[in-house]
Amino acid sequence: MRHRAAFTIPALLLVLILVLTPITPLVMGQSDPVDQLMAQLTVEEKVGQLFLVTFPGSDAGPKSDIAKLIQQYRVGGVVLLASNRNFLNDADTPQQVAILSNDLQALAEAASQEKGRSGVYVPLLVAVDQEGDGFPYTRIRGGMTSLPSNMAIGATWSEANAEKVGEIVGQELRALGVNLLLGPSIDVLERPRPGLQGDMGTRTFGGDPRWVGELGRAYIRGVHWGSSGRVATVAKHFPGHGGSDRSPDEEVATVEKSLAELREMELIPFFAVTQGDSHATTDALMSSHIRYRVFQGNVSQLTRPISFDPDGMKTLMALPEFATWRKEGVIVSDALGVRAVRRYYDPTEKSFPHKQVAKEAFLAGNDVLLLSEFGLTTSWSEQLQNTQEVIEYFGEEYRLDPAFKAQVDASVRRILTLKRELYPDASLASVQVNADLAKQQVGRSQGDVYSMARQAITLVYPRLEELKTRLPNPPAKEDDILIFVDARPARECFEDDCPTFEPLPLTGLQDTILQFYGPSTTGQVDPARINSVSLSHLLLYLDDQLETEEERTAMDNLLTRADWVIFAMLDVNPIGVPSSEAVKRFLAERASLLQGKRVVVLAYNAPYYLDATEISKLSAFFGIYSKISPFIEASARALFSEFQPRGASPVDVDGIHYDLSTQLEPDPEQLIQITLVEPQDPQQIMLMDTIRVRAGVIVDRNGQPVPDGTRVVFSLAYPTDAIYLPPQVGTTQNGLVEATFLAEREGLLSISAASGAAIKSEELRITVYRPTPTPSPTVVFTTTVTPPAITPSPTSTPTSTVPIGPVSGETRPADLGDLLLASGSVLLAGVVTFLLCRGQVRLFNTQVRFVLLALAWGLGGYILYVLGLLRPGQLPWLRDTLGSVLGDRWEAPAVAFVCGLVALGPLLWERVNGGQRRHA
């Protein structure tokens, strides 16, 4: 019975430990609805899900080509394009798109009920590009809210603005029946290439990868919230082409980077949008037609772009940052018919192996294949035939090749999972929208966009420190104003009857100035004294190619009379748009004509196209970042000094030596604020109390909160006693960082902070007292300069609250690590007990009893520790000895070991008494 009791006690203790240890419950799920759907679909229905197609016109009748692709070939989605005349950008555009999307979904629903079909309606993906900044990257514009460019959002340095724009996009697209946004673009513009091939312009949020990632997350979150989960996002262009050397639409570009280098720059935004908060996680990624030298090996002309490279795509998706997302995340190919793809497969462009193109793109890991411009020519009949043949070919391969079948099933599963998330109730009634109300549900957020425009506009030159002496007063009524405008013509479609228009209207700025400052308002501008001339006309003037002498004389007179010369610029593209170089040529060749005049550049695209010499000839240079009407209005108001521009360029501007990485460093001129957070009552700071302080908001050189993860060094000292403690380090979140530590000494404690070159901070002085009696402590703020020897470099691990080292005296809940250490200590106590028993106890059974008692007592001590009834944290000598080895986990093993040795008590008692009796 004794032996049974000896074994029962440890068993009961083990049961108690298991009860106290958290156990993850096992939940038996029901049958997966996607599995059920997969089992119902026919081969044709599965294969069709892989394709996203384009089509001409707005006819979705039963005899149309798109009806055939949906009903006979069962394509899974469509892309709507104004260039294909799927809709016209005018006042009725919202209703046009809503009606078309409804008709397309009705075709898909009707097809599912045909004989030989599954009878299951799988909604179509209806996709658009809607990047912002008007033509050409905002496809649906008529009647909609004008959207700012990504760079304009980046110049506000506001996640709230990115989220708001995403919310507008999501809400308006849902109202039109569009459920797939081919965006946002989260490429990082590491180094601008003004005037060269591959220039991204304002399509990027900026040049800092972590900031681009945060804006991308905020934008995606907004899309999901604004659409109530009915619009999915496709972040692009994976794995990033901000460093490419040419446009990937024209030729397969090359990025000279290894995988390690990609991880430090291009991939960071894609990591950000595939992890964390599900609302901020992208539903899909779009692969790019780009080669990556070093990462893919020795790149040659025959090296596959990443969108066609199975090994490269597999390597990327195997990265731990993507592994979880990829289980359900969809990869969409970029357009498979663009010239870059055609030239890759046949540099002579005499053939287009459409089946090979589609199959290799699919085998590379693309789940959805975008068949746009899918032919050697622009002939729609050729593109339609190629599309049909590819879908039929995929069906044949599905039946013949088990490996191909398995990959199709895996991709279709991801696609169906996405569609089920968009439409849990996949009925036609839940998918279609009210086309009659579409117009009333969009175009209502212009005010929000104008507010962002005021936040984005940047005074590029002169710099802030030169404002008082260099920025001219606004135009007066007696001033003549001459505006040169990059009013380049554009066409939305390719047919001969397609009308031309000006994305940046010739008189857009002039009309806006007169609207707010003309005779009907403030009277600051005389309509007879303001004129607008196109850059193409200016180029003819520079080349002396004006048709008549009267035109030259008129231009000479305008320039002579002008008090203000304003250049309204877009990008500089000498090959595609020769007139875009007119501003640079004028500043180089005719600068003498500008003597005594106020010369201003308004950059409605990126702000990096002018060099230092050109900028030095200007009176002012404003970065506007977008050419939509709210930004034109804001630029006019900035010109007339209605507000002080507060935006900051999110990319490098070499012409003013503006380096983004330097600008994001902590501003050395700031005074870092230190705030006492805990205890809340400063009258209760006693010896061994926990003290928590907060530093910030720490700002960068642009006046914005420093990037998350910026290192901050806290200096702690008892100046009266000349005791200086080791500096402690934390990292910022939203410009703030907290530090927690123990007041281990009485006396005057001084706390200051530094971050990079920002070494000036408030000095928080706290008088720490012994508990008895309790006098009134003092909290004093002064200014101190932290020694400049501490210059920490940024880190990439952001945290919001940073405990500085193990906090002594705090009660920390036990976890698995404590259990493992305690178990080791219990076993050690058992071994020690057994070794001591061997010399004092002859019977083996008695030795076992003592060992079991040691185990029982040790486990019992650990249970008391878990319950918080036995905590030795207030024993400084024990804490200092064991804490240096085990850190903050020293308590559990110490309790278990000491309690285990308690079992030796009877043995020691017997040994002492026996010794006394023998002595007697």
Side-chain angles (χ1 to χ4, degrees), residues 730-862:
T731 56
T732 60
Q733 181 79 23
N734 298 322
L736 298 171
V737 60
E738 292 188 355
T740 305
F741 49 89
L742 197 67
E744 295 182 320
R745 296 179 57 89
E746 62 178 311
L748 181 64
L749 174 62
S750 170
I751 306 171
S752 59
S755 182
I759 59 176
K760 294 185 294 186
S761 82
E762 293 180 338
E763 182 183 19
L764 176 62
R765 292 193 169 194
I766 302 172
T767 303
V768 181
Y769 295 95
R770 288 188 178 277
T772 57
T774 308
S776 298
T778 59
V779 179
V780 181
F781 288 94
T782 62
T783 299
T784 186
V785 178
T786 305
I790 302 172
T791 54
S793 58
T795 181
S796 61
T797 307
T799 55
S800 57
T801 303
V802 184
I804 308 301
V807 180
S808 304
E810 284 194 352
T811 299
R812 182 180 56 76
D815 56 19
L816 180 60
D818 294 309
L819 176 59
L820 294 176
L821 288 173
S823 300
S825 295
V826 169
L827 293 176
L828 180 60
V831 172
V832 172
T833 301
F834 179 73
L835 294 175
L836 292 176
C837 285
R838 290 183 63 184
Q840 303 297 324
V841 179
R842 295 181 179 179
L843 295 177
F844 179 73
N845 288 346
T846 305
Q847 296 174 5
V848 171
R849 288 173 55 199
F850 276 110
V851 171
L852 291 176
L853 283 173
L855 297 176
W857 278 95
L859 292 174
Y862 176 69

Side-chain angles (χ1 to χ4, degrees), residues 478-494:
E478 62 274 11
D479 290 340
D480 281 272
I481 303 173
L482 176 59
I483 307 173
F484 290 106
V485 183
D486 192 346
R488 63 184 68 171
R491 301 176 66 189
E492 194 131 48
C493 46
F494 307 107

Side-chain angles (χ1 to χ4, degrees), residues 569-581:
M569 290 182 61
L570 293 175
D571 63 331
V572 176
N573 181 6
I575 297 176
V577 187
S579 62
S580 65
E581 206 173 20

